[in-house]
Amino acid sequence: MSEAEIKNLEEIFESRIARDEKIEPKDWMPEKYRKTHIRQMSQHAHSEIIGMLPEGNWITRAPSLRRKVALLAKVQDEGGHGLYLYSACETLGISRDELFEQLHSGKAKYSSIFNYPTVTWADMGAIGWLVDGAAIINQVPLCNTSYGPYARAMVRVCKEESFHQRQGFEIMLKLCQGSPEQKEMAQDALNRWWWPSLMMLGPTDDKSVHTEQSMKWKLKRKTNDELRQQFIDQTVPQAEVLGITVPDPDLKWNEEKGQYDFGEIDWDEFWQVVKGHGPCNKERMTARVSAWEEGEWVRDAAMAYADKKDKKNVAKAS
Amino acid sequence: MKDSHLVKYILGIADNALILGQRLGELCGHGPTLETDIALTNMSLDLLGQTRNYYQYVAKISGDDSTEDDIAFLRTERQYLNVLLVEQPNQHFGYVIARQFYFDVFHYLLLEKLQASTDENLAAIAKKSIKEVSYHQRFSSDWIKRLGDGTSESHNKIQTAINDLWAYTDELFEVTEDDSHIVNIGIGVDVSELKAEYYSKVSEVLKESTLEIPDNKYFKKGGKIGIHSEHMGYILADLQYMQRTYPKMKW
């Protein structure tokens, strides 16, 4: 294809996005669009899969049967989200095995929040309330993103996430209405998850490398700082309902701006965790890699069995 | 909680579902593929759902103010009446599948008969559960075939698991004293009558999977009368952790 032809295709492509048309897997797309989508969608899928681990940590110890079943169902939903997101990603011409390889080798990233440990039952509440709450803020705009398979997967993901968020809040509420020990457990979880949840919305706008292009492709509709502000403004009143304190002495309602002012985020901590030195980065990766390696013989068996069956069917037919 | 024959009979069924559900729950997030991970979690959810139905019924007939959670979390090890099979550990996927398969074939036959129980609550729970268990049985039988007739490595691994867990199958057909009382009044199922069909079904799947039927005649038992393997204490340590650490709280 000549340069002029490519330029023409690019123009058509950009104008389709500007008209809010969906881009589908077989449509022409610039290589950078494909790559950016593979990166973001797989990062999202990996986050779902890694995210199963910190919550999975409490399945066997959930405090009641009802909570156990709800937690199992929630973690299972995350596996399901991983599944549709990997499938959506595969429509861009990359296999699930390749995506796993990128995760296991450390080439692909996942949400850093899952590198924090879940040390008490209240963490199940805090993760649902705060982490899923921040995720929804990030994800709702993606239901209208330009790439069709991603947008459609996100519609379902967001419905389930919003249910998880309410479930998390309800766990917190129950703790806050319970004994002093339970309330203390809830406060402690808020103390530990608050700042990492703010970091989840990404580096500040002046440090964010992908924002401009992503806004153009509607992979992003608001900047990281705008999303973070939205999250804080929506979450602080919820903490007030719970009767627990957000661990930020600088947090204050700003009448003039109609939003909360908040304290400085410890970005050194953020980069430390992103670069692989958080409290559980190694544990998460080891768990994923060993599940994959220990499962190899099972996957090989399934393939070998399917092959044998195919051959038998061919033999029968001929 | 009253230790009536009926209560103990129901616990004998329900505790199997609880402990197997708990074991499967340990695997969530660690499966060999995303699809099997989701499927095993699903079975765990089904089993725990069934557990809740049984325990809620037990709580109701106990005539005190006990709840499903008291029954699930606040008994001593000797009071759990599940079979030894379901408490066996998840050593690898082959053991998970072999344990599931041995249990599912039994579970299906049991529920088939329990649907005709003269106790309408038990009959209703059985009717609801058998739909789920029919899927469990299909899932585990299909995996026995894949692993048995897959690669030589998978064949050996699943054969070892099948051989090792075989010793726990006979206990499934043990009728305790409490059970006999309930069988005699038409509420319970005489599981000893399910034995022939069970072994014939199991053998059929194993043969189709190119696996050998174990010839071990020495069987282990004890779970049904509350004498468990050494694994059980650790299962309960996890299961009961919150309820024991924070007594009498609402979650």
Side-chain angles (χ1 to χ4, degrees):
Chain A
M1 227 182 293
S2 75
E3 251 178 60
E5 278 171 320
I6 291 179
K7 200 161 183 331
N8 186 31
L9 281 171
E10 271 173 9
E11 276 166 20
I12 296 171
F13 177 84
E14 297 294 348
S15 63
R16 286 185 63 193
I17 290 189
R19 286 197 302 273
D20 265 337
E21 277 178 37
K22 291 280 176 269
I23 307 300
E24 294 301 334
K26 287 186 174 161
D27 296 346
W28 183 88
M29 61 185 80
E31 198 45 31
K32 197 172 167 207
Y33 180 90
R34 183 191 305 278
K35 286 213 169 109
T36 302
H37 276 77
I38 290 177
R39 182 178 56 80
Q40 178 163 335
M41 288 159 69
S42 66
Q43 234 176 58
H44 188 169
H46 298 327
S47 303
E48 298 281 357
I49 301 309
I50 298 278
M52 295 170 80
L53 300 170
E55 290 179 283
N57 184 35
W58 278 87
I59 288 172
T60 59
R61 292 177 294 165
S64 69
L65 288 177
R66 174 174 167 257
R67 292 291 181 204
K68 189 188 287 289
V69 169
L71 182 61
L72 259 170
K74 185 196 169 184
V75 181
Q76 187 194 33
D77 281 351
E78 283 158 10
H81 297 170
L83 201 54
Y84 352 120
L85 290 165
Y86 283 126
S87 307
C89 207
E90 283 180 303
T91 64
L92 290 166
I94 187 161
S95 70
R96 209 199 296 178
D97 282 7
E98 285 172 277
L99 295 169
F100 278 151
E101 167 55 32
Q102 292 178 356
L103 174 66
H104 298 159
S105 68
K107 190 183 159 212
K109 295 267 177 275
Y110 57 88
S111 183
S112 256
I113 192 93
F114 301 120
N115 292 315
Y116 288 86
T118 51
V119 294
T120 72
W121 168 251
D123 291 8
M124 299 304 99
I127 289 183
W129 174 39
L130 301 172
V131 175
D132 294 332
I136 294 167
I137 287 194
N138 248 331
Q139 291 171 5
V140 165
L142 293 172
C143 299
N144 293 313
T145 191
S146 60
Y147 188 54
Y150 194 24
R152 289 187 289 271
M154 288 315 296
V155 171
R156 180 150 176 199
V157 170
C158 283
K159 277 188 195 152
E160 293 180 347
E161 289 296 353
S162 136
F163 180 74
H164 297 165
Q165 202 250 348
R166 279 180 304 204
Q167 187 174 297
F169 184 78
E170 200 240 328
I171 290 177
M172 293 301 272
L173 190 61
K174 201 81 184 174
L175 292 172
C176 291
Q177 292 167 342
S179 70
E181 277 163 294
Q182 285 173 300
K183 192 162 183 183
E184 196 186 310
M185 199 191 281
Q187 178 67 60
D188 170 62
L190 172 59
N191 294 350
R192 285 180 289 107
W193 291 94
W194 175 255
W195 292 105
S197 301
L198 297 190
M199 294 175 198
M200 248 182 99
L201 295 149
T204 50
D205 294 347
D206 53 328
K207 298 265 167 30
S208 171
V209 279
H210 303 295
T211 297
E212 201 191 330
Q213 181 67 77
S214 296
M215 296 278 268
K216 213 165 112 193
W217 287 335
K218 298 179 178 170
L219 250 178
K220 231 177 187 177
R221 302 245 163 171
K222 285 181 182 171
T223 70
N224 294 351
D225 288 334
E226 286 168 337
L227 293 170
R228 191 162 15 248
Q229 188 67 52
Q230 186 187 335
F231 174 71
I232 292 169
D233 293 344
Q234 132 187 345
T235 309
V236 173
Q238 294 170 354
E240 283 164 7
V241 171
L242 293 173
I244 46 182
T245 312
V246 173
D248 177 358
D250 298 321
L251 188 80
K252 216 173 67 201
W253 178 250
N254 184 324
E255 198 63 56
E256 205 175 305
K257 289 201 238 158
Q259 60 190 36
Y260 282 93
D261 291 332
F262 56 96
E264 195 63 39
I265 293 172
D266 180 359
W267 291 108
D268 290 342
E269 177 184 323
F270 174 76
W271 291 114
Q272 178 178 338
V273 183
V274 169
K275 286 178 184 156
H277 308 288
C280 296
N281 297 60
K282 275 220 172 94
E283 287 83 347
R284 301 295 182 240
M285 209 40 90
T286 307
R288 275 322 308 165
V289 171
S290 39
W292 186 246
E293 286 174 353
E294 284 161 21
E296 192 179 2
W297 69 273
V298 176
R299 297 189 301 275
D300 288 349
M303 295 304 283
Y305 179 77
D307 257 9
K308 284 185 199 172
K309 264 206 132 172
D310 279 352
K311 278 186 194 134
K312 270 187 208 155
N313 287 342
V314 170
K316 255 191 215 159
S318 58
Chain B
M1 196 178 67
K2 265 194 313 198
D3 265 358
S4 68
H5 297 310
L6 181 58
V7 164
K8 283 185 145 180
Y9 177 76
I10 301 171
L11 292 179
I13 300 174
D15 290 350
N16 285 338
L18 173 71
I19 300 301
L20 188 54
Q22 177 79 356
R23 272 290 188 224
L24 292 171
E26 292 170 14
L27 294 165
C28 186
H30 305 276
T33 66
L34 213 39
E35 287 82 351
T36 44
D37 203 309
I38 292 171
L40 292 172
T41 308
N42 222 25
M43 299 199 294
S44 174
L45 273 167
D46 287 343
L47 290 166
L48 292 168
Q50 294 169 17
T51 306
R52 295 186 68 190
N53 290 331
Y54 290 119
Y55 286 173
Q56 283 165 10
Y57 180 44
V58 169
K60 209 170 105 188
I61 58 178
S62 287
D64 51 23
D65 56 1
S66 60
T67 66
E68 56 169 5
D69 287 334
D70 297 335
I71 301 168
F73 299 103
L74 295 176
R75 282 179 286 157
T76 62
E77 180 172 329
R78 294 282 276 106
Q79 293 172 315
Y80 286 83
L81 302 179
N82 56 282
V83 290
L84 298 176
L85 175 67
V86 294
E87 65 200 50
Q88 297 310 305
N90 302 320
Q91 296 186 55
H92 61 54
F93 189 72
Y95 280 90
V96 173
I97 291 300
R99 182 184 64 204
Q100 196 64 40
F101 168 65
Y102 281 151
F103 183 70
D104 291 342
V105 174
F106 164 77
H107 199 189
Y108 189 86
L109 294 174
L110 169 73
L111 293 174
E112 221 173 23
K113 291 273 189 287
L114 192 63
Q115 293 179 103
S117 169
T118 53
D119 180 309
E120 52 184 29
N121 285 291
L122 287 183
I125 298 174
K127 273 191 192 119
K128 182 174 170 280
S129 309
I130 199 166
K131 291 181 200 141
E132 297 164 348
V133 172
S134 145
Y135 165 75
H136 302 177
Q137 183 174 234
R138 204 173 74 207
F139 176 89
S140 58
S141 303
D142 283 352
W143 271 104
I144 292 281
K145 290 176 205 164
R146 283 188 198 107
L147 299 178
D149 196 14
T151 64
S152 62
E153 184 187 6
S154 70
H155 178 91
N156 294 338
K157 280 193 150 127
I158 191 66
Q159 182 72 64
T160 308
I162 283 288
N163 293 348
D164 286 354
L165 295 177
W166 178 258
Y168 299 102
T169 53
D170 190 62
E171 190 190 7
L172 294 163
F173 309 101
E174 188 80 9
V175 180
T176 66
E177 225 184 288
D178 293 296
D179 294 349
S180 341
H181 280 98
I182 301 307
V183 170
N184 290 340
I185 54 173
I187 292 178
V189 177
D190 182 353
V191 285
S192 67
E193 288 174 2
L194 306 175
K195 199 167 172 174
E197 195 178 350
Y198 175 85
Y199 282 110
S200 117
K201 270 198 166 179
V202 164
S203 305
E204 192 187 311
V205 174
L206 292 182
K207 265 187 218 145
E208 199 189 326
S209 315
T210 72
L211 292 165
E212 296 202 2
I213 297 151
D215 61 2
N216 174 16
K217 301 274 184 299
Y218 297 100
F219 293 102
K220 302 183 192 191
K221 59 182 184 182
K224 278 192 161 178
I225 50 167
I227 303 170
H228 294 278
S229 63
E230 290 180 350
H231 303 297
M232 188 67 175
Y234 295 93
I235 296 177
L236 296 183
D238 270 358
L239 181 76
Q240 301 186 338
Y241 166 64
M242 289 295 289
Q243 290 273 344
R244 297 286 186 199
T245 312
Y246 303 98
K248 297 196 167 60
M249 294 184 197
K250 297 264 181 291
W251 303 95

